[in-house]
Protein backbone atom coordinates (compact mmCIF):
# COMPACT_ATOMS: atom_id res chain seq x y z
CA UNK A 1 0.00 0.00 0.00
CA UNK A 2 1.24 3.49 -0.86
CA UNK A 3 2.55 5.53 2.06
CA UNK A 4 2.67 9.33 1.93
CA UNK A 5 4.55 11.53 4.42
CA UNK A 6 3.10 14.94 5.19
CA UNK A 7 4.02 17.56 7.77
CA UNK A 8 2.49 16.69 11.16
CA UNK A 9 1.91 20.30 12.10
CA UNK A 10 3.10 23.59 10.75
CA UNK A 11 2.62 25.73 7.69
CA UNK A 12 2.28 22.93 5.14
CA UNK A 13 0.04 20.59 7.15
CA UNK A 14 -3.32 22.19 6.51
CA UNK A 15 -2.80 22.73 2.79
CA UNK A 16 -1.44 19.20 2.33
CA UNK A 17 -4.52 17.78 4.06
CA UNK A 18 -6.83 19.95 1.98
CA UNK A 19 -5.13 19.07 -1.33
CA UNK A 20 -5.68 15.41 -0.42
CA UNK A 21 -9.29 16.11 0.62
CA UNK A 22 -10.00 17.97 -2.65
CA UNK A 23 -8.59 14.89 -4.42
CA UNK A 24 -11.15 12.71 -2.67
CA UNK A 25 -8.78 11.44 0.02
CA UNK A 26 -9.58 11.86 3.71
CA UNK A 27 -6.69 11.65 6.13
CA UNK A 28 -8.69 10.11 8.95
CA UNK A 29 -6.81 9.82 12.25
CA UNK A 30 -5.60 13.41 12.40
CA UNK A 31 -2.17 14.76 13.03
CA UNK A 32 -1.87 13.66 16.65
CA UNK A 33 -1.08 10.18 15.41
CA UNK A 34 2.07 9.17 13.60
CA UNK A 35 0.24 7.04 11.06
CA UNK A 36 -3.33 6.90 9.77
CA UNK A 37 -5.26 5.07 7.05
CA UNK A 38 -6.68 7.27 4.30
CA UNK A 39 -10.18 6.78 3.00
CA UNK A 40 -10.98 7.27 -0.70
CA UNK A 41 -7.54 5.98 -1.80
CA UNK A 42 -5.55 2.94 -0.81
CA UNK A 43 -2.92 4.81 1.15
CA UNK A 44 -1.40 5.31 4.58
CA UNK A 45 -0.46 8.73 5.86
CA UNK A 46 2.68 9.26 7.88
CA UNK A 47 2.87 12.51 9.88
CA UNK A 48 6.44 13.79 10.26
CA UNK A 49 8.43 16.95 10.92
CA UNK A 50 9.16 18.57 7.59
CA UNK A 51 12.92 18.18 8.17
CA UNK A 52 12.53 14.39 8.26
CA UNK A 53 10.41 14.00 5.12
CA UNK A 54 13.19 14.02 2.47
CA UNK A 55 15.11 11.29 4.31
CA UNK A 56 12.00 9.21 5.00
CA UNK A 57 11.19 9.29 1.27
CA UNK A 58 14.77 8.66 0.18
CA UNK A 59 14.92 5.59 2.46
CA UNK A 60 11.54 4.33 1.27
CA UNK A 61 10.01 4.59 4.77
CA UNK A 62 7.42 6.64 2.88
CA UNK A 63 6.96 6.19 -0.88
CA UNK A 64 6.06 9.80 -1.47
CA UNK A 65 5.95 13.01 0.53
CA UNK A 66 4.77 16.60 0.50
CA UNK A 67 7.45 19.03 1.64
CA UNK A 68 8.98 22.41 0.84
CA UNK A 69 11.53 22.40 -1.99
CA UNK A 70 13.80 24.27 0.45
CA UNK A 71 13.96 21.18 2.68
CA UNK A 72 14.59 18.90 -0.30
CA UNK A 73 17.47 21.11 -1.47
CA UNK A 74 18.93 21.51 2.02
CA UNK A 75 18.88 17.84 2.93
CA UNK A 76 20.33 16.75 -0.41
CA UNK A 77 18.65 13.32 -0.18
CA UNK A 78 18.14 11.36 -3.38
CA UNK A 79 14.43 11.74 -4.18
CA UNK A 80 12.45 12.34 -7.37
CA UNK A 81 10.52 15.58 -7.64
CA UNK A 82 7.15 14.59 -9.05
CA UNK A 83 5.40 17.96 -9.21
CA UNK A 84 5.14 21.41 -7.70
CA UNK A 85 1.98 21.90 -5.66
CA UNK A 86 1.33 25.64 -5.86
CA UNK A 87 1.29 26.39 -2.12
CA UNK A 88 3.85 27.15 0.59
CA UNK A 89 5.58 29.68 -1.67
CA UNK A 90 8.56 31.39 -0.07
CA UNK A 91 12.16 32.24 -0.79
CA UNK A 92 15.42 31.96 1.10
CA UNK A 93 17.25 35.25 1.11
CA UNK A 94 20.23 36.99 2.60
CA UNK A 95 19.15 39.87 4.84
CA UNK A 96 21.29 42.42 6.65
CA UNK A 97 20.62 45.14 9.26
CA UNK A 98 18.87 48.01 7.51
CA UNK A 99 21.63 50.55 8.16
CA UNK A 100 24.52 48.25 7.18
CA UNK A 101 26.55 49.37 4.19
CA UNK A 102 25.77 46.22 2.14
CA UNK A 103 26.90 46.84 -1.42
CA UNK A 104 26.89 43.38 -2.96
CA UNK A 105 27.78 39.76 -2.10
CA UNK A 106 31.47 40.63 -1.52
CA UNK A 107 30.35 42.55 1.59
CA UNK A 108 29.75 39.13 3.19
CA UNK A 109 33.45 38.17 3.01
CA UNK A 110 34.72 37.40 6.50
CA UNK A 111 31.31 38.06 8.07
CA UNK A 112 29.07 35.77 10.11
CA UNK A 113 25.78 34.60 8.62
CA UNK A 114 23.14 32.87 10.77
CA UNK A 115 20.90 30.30 9.07
CA UNK A 116 18.99 27.03 9.31
CA UNK A 117 19.96 26.31 5.68
CA UNK A 118 23.77 25.92 5.78
CA UNK A 119 24.01 23.69 2.71
CA UNK A 120 22.04 25.94 0.36
CA UNK A 121 23.95 28.93 1.73
CA UNK A 122 27.36 27.22 1.34
CA UNK A 123 26.58 26.37 -2.30
CA UNK A 124 25.57 29.96 -3.03
CA UNK A 125 28.59 31.48 -1.24
CA UNK A 126 30.90 29.12 -3.13
CA UNK A 127 29.29 30.06 -6.44
CA UNK A 128 30.07 33.70 -5.65
CA UNK A 129 33.58 32.94 -4.36
CA UNK A 130 32.75 34.34 -0.92
CA UNK A 131 34.38 33.20 2.28
CA UNK A 132 31.95 33.80 5.13
CA UNK A 133 31.36 32.11 8.46
CA UNK A 134 28.14 30.12 8.61
CA UNK A 135 26.42 29.88 12.00
CA UNK A 136 23.80 27.19 11.94
CA UNK A 137 20.91 27.90 14.29
CA UNK A 138 17.62 26.08 14.51
CA UNK A 139 15.08 28.86 15.00
CA UNK A 140 14.58 32.61 15.48
CA UNK A 141 17.31 33.29 12.94
CA UNK A 142 15.97 36.82 12.44
CA UNK A 143 17.07 38.00 15.89
CA UNK A 144 20.70 36.87 15.43
CA UNK A 145 22.04 40.25 14.18
CA UNK A 146 20.30 42.23 16.96
CA UNK A 147 21.82 40.05 19.68
CA UNK A 148 25.29 40.24 18.14
CA UNK A 149 25.42 36.61 16.96
CA UNK A 150 25.69 37.42 13.25
CA UNK A 151 26.24 40.21 10.71
CA UNK A 152 23.65 38.83 8.29
CA UNK A 153 21.03 36.10 8.09
CA UNK A 154 19.99 33.64 5.43
CA UNK A 155 16.38 32.72 6.10
CA UNK A 156 12.94 32.06 4.68
CA UNK A 157 11.01 35.13 3.61
CA UNK A 158 7.45 35.22 2.46
CA UNK A 159 5.72 38.58 3.02
CA UNK A 160 8.91 40.19 4.32
CA UNK A 161 7.10 41.36 7.48
CA UNK A 162 9.43 39.50 9.85
CA UNK A 163 12.48 41.16 8.32
CA UNK A 164 10.96 44.63 8.65
CA UNK A 165 9.97 43.96 12.29
CA UNK A 166 13.55 43.02 13.05
CA UNK A 167 15.17 45.98 11.31
CA UNK A 168 16.53 43.85 8.47
CA UNK A 169 16.46 44.26 4.70
CA UNK A 170 16.49 41.56 2.06
CA UNK A 171 19.51 41.96 -0.17
CA UNK A 172 19.92 38.68 -2.07
CA UNK A 173 17.08 36.40 -3.11
CA UNK A 174 18.86 33.08 -3.44
CA UNK A 175 16.36 30.23 -3.57
CA UNK A 176 12.67 30.14 -4.55
CA UNK A 177 10.57 27.43 -2.98
CA UNK A 178 7.09 25.96 -2.82
CA UNK A 179 5.62 22.68 -1.62
CA UNK A 180 6.45 19.75 -3.88
CA UNK A 181 5.44 16.13 -4.19
CA UNK A 182 8.52 13.92 -3.95
CA UNK A 183 8.89 10.18 -4.50
CA UNK A 184 11.41 7.54 -3.59
CA UNK A 185 13.53 6.74 -6.67
CA UNK A 186 13.10 2.96 -6.41
CA UNK A 187 9.27 2.83 -6.46
CA UNK A 188 8.02 -0.64 -7.40
CA UNK A 189 5.76 -0.87 -10.47
CA UNK A 190 2.52 -1.38 -8.52
CA UNK A 191 3.11 1.78 -6.56
CA UNK A 192 4.15 3.79 -9.60
CA UNK A 193 0.63 3.46 -10.96
CA UNK A 194 -0.85 4.69 -7.68
CA UNK A 195 1.51 7.69 -7.70
CA UNK A 196 0.51 8.45 -11.28
CA UNK A 197 -3.17 8.38 -10.25
CA UNK A 198 -2.45 10.75 -7.41
CA UNK A 199 -0.41 13.06 -9.66
CA UNK A 200 -3.34 13.19 -12.09
CA UNK A 201 -5.78 14.08 -9.29
CA UNK A 202 -3.45 16.76 -7.92
CA UNK A 203 -2.87 18.37 -11.32
CA UNK A 204 -6.61 18.41 -11.95
CA UNK A 205 -7.20 20.18 -8.65
CA UNK A 206 -4.34 22.62 -9.19
CA UNK A 207 -5.53 23.49 -12.71
CA UNK A 208 -8.95 24.45 -11.31
CA UNK A 209 -7.63 26.49 -8.39
CA UNK A 210 -7.79 30.21 -8.96
CA UNK A 211 -10.08 29.80 -11.98
CA UNK A 212 -13.72 30.90 -12.36
CA UNK A 213 -16.40 29.82 -14.79
CA UNK A 214 -18.18 32.73 -16.47
CA UNK A 215 -21.56 32.60 -18.21
CA UNK A 216 -23.31 35.56 -19.82
CA UNK A 217 -25.77 36.66 -22.43
CA UNK A 218 -24.57 38.86 -25.27
CA UNK A 219 -26.09 40.64 -28.26
CA UNK A 220 -24.87 39.17 -31.55
CA UNK A 221 -22.84 42.25 -32.49
CA UNK A 222 -20.64 41.88 -29.36
CA UNK A 223 -19.75 38.21 -29.71
CA UNK A 224 -16.58 38.76 -31.72
CA UNK A 225 -15.21 41.31 -29.27
CA UNK A 226 -16.16 39.08 -26.29
CA UNK A 227 -14.21 36.18 -27.80
CA UNK A 228 -11.16 38.45 -27.92
CA UNK A 229 -11.65 39.41 -24.27
CA UNK A 230 -12.14 35.80 -23.19
CA UNK A 231 -9.72 33.48 -24.94
CA UNK A 232 -10.81 30.55 -22.71
CA UNK A 233 -9.10 27.16 -22.75
CA UNK A 234 -9.44 26.62 -26.49
CA UNK A 235 -11.89 29.41 -27.16
CA UNK A 236 -15.09 30.31 -25.32
CA UNK A 237 -18.28 28.35 -25.98
CA UNK A 238 -20.86 30.45 -27.85
CA UNK A 239 -24.45 29.17 -28.02
CA UNK A 240 -27.47 30.85 -29.66
CA UNK A 241 -30.31 31.75 -27.28
CA UNK A 242 -33.98 31.21 -28.14
CA UNK A 243 -34.32 34.99 -28.26
CA UNK A 244 -33.36 36.23 -31.73
CA UNK A 245 -29.98 38.08 -31.92
CA UNK A 246 -28.72 36.89 -28.52
CA UNK A 247 -26.00 34.43 -27.56
CA UNK A 248 -24.85 32.74 -24.39
CA UNK A 249 -21.11 32.72 -23.85
CA UNK A 250 -19.22 30.39 -21.46
CA UNK A 251 -15.54 30.69 -20.55
CA UNK A 252 -12.99 29.86 -17.87
CA UNK A 253 -10.95 32.81 -16.59
CA UNK A 254 -8.24 33.20 -13.95
CA UNK A 255 -9.68 34.74 -10.78
CA UNK A 256 -6.99 37.42 -10.90
CA UNK A 257 -8.40 38.71 -14.22
CA UNK A 258 -12.07 38.24 -13.33
CA UNK A 259 -13.14 41.80 -12.52
CA UNK A 260 -11.23 43.42 -15.38
CA UNK A 261 -12.88 41.01 -17.81
CA UNK A 262 -16.35 41.46 -16.28
CA UNK A 263 -16.07 45.25 -16.60
CA UNK A 264 -14.98 44.98 -20.26
CA UNK A 265 -17.82 42.56 -21.00
CA UNK A 266 -20.41 44.83 -19.38
CA UNK A 267 -19.15 47.69 -21.52
CA UNK A 268 -19.84 45.74 -24.70
CA UNK A 269 -23.36 44.83 -23.60
CA UNK A 270 -23.04 41.54 -21.69
CA UNK A 271 -26.01 40.86 -19.41
CA UNK A 272 -26.90 38.31 -16.72
CA UNK A 273 -23.28 37.53 -16.00
CA UNK A 274 -22.89 34.47 -13.75
CA UNK A 275 -19.59 33.74 -12.01
CA UNK A 276 -19.30 30.13 -10.81
CA UNK A 277 -16.67 28.32 -8.81
CA UNK A 278 -14.81 25.74 -10.81
CA UNK A 279 -14.10 22.43 -9.12
CA UNK A 280 -11.90 20.55 -11.54
CA UNK A 281 -10.40 20.84 -14.99
CA UNK A 282 -9.80 17.38 -16.42
CA UNK A 283 -7.69 17.51 -19.55
O1 LIG B 1 7.82 21.29 12.98
P1 LIG B 1 8.40 21.23 11.63
O2 LIG B 1 9.89 21.02 11.61
O3 LIG B 1 7.65 20.26 10.74
O4 LIG B 1 8.09 22.67 10.98
P2 LIG B 1 9.02 23.96 10.82
O5 LIG B 1 8.79 24.84 11.98
O6 LIG B 1 10.43 23.58 10.48
O7 LIG B 1 8.45 24.58 9.46
P3 LIG B 1 7.20 25.53 9.21
O8 LIG B 1 5.94 24.82 9.52
O9 LIG B 1 7.42 26.88 9.79
O10 LIG B 1 7.37 25.68 7.63
C1 LIG B 1 7.24 24.59 6.78
C2 LIG B 1 7.57 25.02 5.36
O11 LIG B 1 6.67 26.06 4.96
C3 LIG B 1 8.94 25.63 5.13
O12 LIG B 1 9.96 24.66 5.03
C4 LIG B 1 8.72 26.37 3.82
O13 LIG B 1 8.83 25.46 2.74
C5 LIG B 1 7.26 26.82 3.91
N1 LIG B 1 7.08 28.25 4.22
C6 LIG B 1 6.34 29.11 3.47
C7 LIG B 1 7.56 28.95 5.26
C8 LIG B 1 7.10 30.26 5.14
N2 LIG B 1 6.35 30.34 4.02
C9 LIG B 1 7.48 31.24 6.13
N3 LIG B 1 7.09 32.40 6.02
N4 LIG B 1 8.33 28.57 6.32
C10 LIG B 1 8.66 29.47 7.25
N5 LIG B 1 8.28 30.79 7.21
C11 LIG B 1 8.74 31.66 8.35
C12 LIG B 1 10.16 32.16 8.19
O14 LIG B 1 11.07 31.24 8.77
C13 LIG B 1 10.19 33.47 8.94
O15 LIG B 1 10.36 33.28 10.31
O16 LIG B 1 7.97 32.82 8.43
C14 LIG B 1 8.80 33.97 8.72
C15 LIG B 1 8.83 34.91 7.55
O17 LIG B 1 7.58 35.17 7.09
P4 LIG B 1 7.23 36.63 6.54
O18 LIG B 1 5.88 36.46 5.92
O19 LIG B 1 7.20 37.57 7.72
O20 LIG B 1 8.27 37.02 5.51
ZN1 LIG C 1 11.21 21.85 10.31
Amino acid sequence: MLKIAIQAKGRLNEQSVSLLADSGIQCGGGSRRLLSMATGFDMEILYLRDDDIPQAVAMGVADIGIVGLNEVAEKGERVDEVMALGFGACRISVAVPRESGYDGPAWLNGRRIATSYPNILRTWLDSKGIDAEIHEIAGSVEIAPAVGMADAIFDIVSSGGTLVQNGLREVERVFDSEAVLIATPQLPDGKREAVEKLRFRFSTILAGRGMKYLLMNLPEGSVERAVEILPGMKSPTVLPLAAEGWFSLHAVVPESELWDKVEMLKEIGAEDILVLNLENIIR
Side-chain angles (χ1 to χ4, degrees):
M1 185 190 304
L2 199 66
K3 206 180 271 181
I4 187 171
I6 65 171
Q7 195 189 21
K9 50 180 191 298
R11 286 168 199 268
L12 301 182
N13 167 269
E14 208 172 293
Q15 282 167 293
S16 305
V17 169
S18 75
L19 177 60
L20 289 166
D22 290 348
S23 312
I25 304 167
Q26 275 68 45
C27 289
S31 54
R32 267 157 295 158
R33 289 164 46 180
L34 178 62
L35 194 66
S36 76
M37 258 317 275
T39 50
F41 203 84
D42 195 20
M43 187 164 78
E44 275 180 309
I45 301 170
L46 188 59
Y47 301 91
L48 297 179
R49 285 200 55 188
D50 67 346
D51 314 59
D52 298 332
I53 293 176
Q55 192 187 18
V57 171
M59 289 170 64
V61 172
D63 304 300
I64 53 176
I66 296 179
V67 68
L69 188 59
N70 52 312
E71 288 298 331
V72 179
E74 179 60 25
K75 296 296 186 289
E77 298 283 351
R78 233 170 59 82
V79 294
D80 290 344
E81 266 173 59
V82 180
M83 67 189 293
L85 298 174
F87 62 87
C90 59
R91 54 198 188 268
I92 316 182
S93 295
V94 177
V96 297
R98 206 176 308 141
E99 61 290 350
S100 79
Y102 186 90
D103 55 359
W107 183 90
L108 297 165
N109 265 313
R111 300 197 195 247
R112 299 160 305 161
I113 311 173
T115 188
S116 309
Y117 294 92
N119 294 325
I120 299 176
L121 177 57
R122 167 71 54 218
T123 306
W124 181 74
L125 290 172
D126 288 352
S127 76
K128 299 277 174 197
I130 292 158
D131 186 20
E133 222 179 282
I134 298 178
H135 283 252
E136 184 175 353
I137 51 178
S140 304
V141 172
E142 65 279 1
I143 63 164
V147 298
M149 272 174 68
D151 305 300
I153 66 165
F154 180 65
D155 198 13
I156 294 188
V157 181
S158 101
S159 66
T162 304
L163 294 184
V164 172
Q165 276 165 23
N166 288 280
L168 299 168
R169 79 188 153 99
E170 184 177 8
V171 289
E172 303 288 343
R173 180 178 177 147
V174 173
F175 187 89
D176 285 316
S177 180
E178 68 180 287
V180 289
L181 179 68
I182 54 172
T184 191
Q186 62 279 355
L187 262 184
D189 273 354
K191 289 187 173 179
R192 202 162 296 151
E193 263 169 49
V195 173
E196 185 47 38
K197 259 192 200 169
L198 204 60
R199 197 197 58 75
F200 175 74
R201 290 195 193 185
F202 285 178
S203 32
T204 302
I205 301 300
L206 298 182
R209 282 191 177 166
M211 303 297 267
K212 294 282 180 188
Y213 192 78
L214 264 185
L215 280 141
M216 75 213 67
N217 294 331
L218 269 179
E220 188 167 8
S222 299
V223 170
E224 203 175 314
R225 176 73 190 111
V227 171
E228 286 166 15
I229 296 171
L230 293 169
M233 276 188 282
K234 288 203 172 54
S235 68
T237 307
V238 183
L239 300 166
L241 291 184
E244 182 79 19
W246 281 84
F247 286 83
S248 164
L249 198 133
H250 302 207
V252 173
V253 295
E255 201 169 353
S256 56
E257 298 170 15
L258 177 72
W259 291 107
D260 285 345
K261 303 261 185 209
V262 165
E263 281 154 18
M264 287 192 256
L265 291 160
K266 271 173 67 76
E267 267 172 36
I268 61 164
E271 292 180 3
D272 310 319
I273 303 175
L274 302 184
V275 181
L276 307 179
N277 286 327
L278 193 71
E279 288 241 328
N280 295 325
I281 298 178
I282 299 177
R283 293 184 196 273

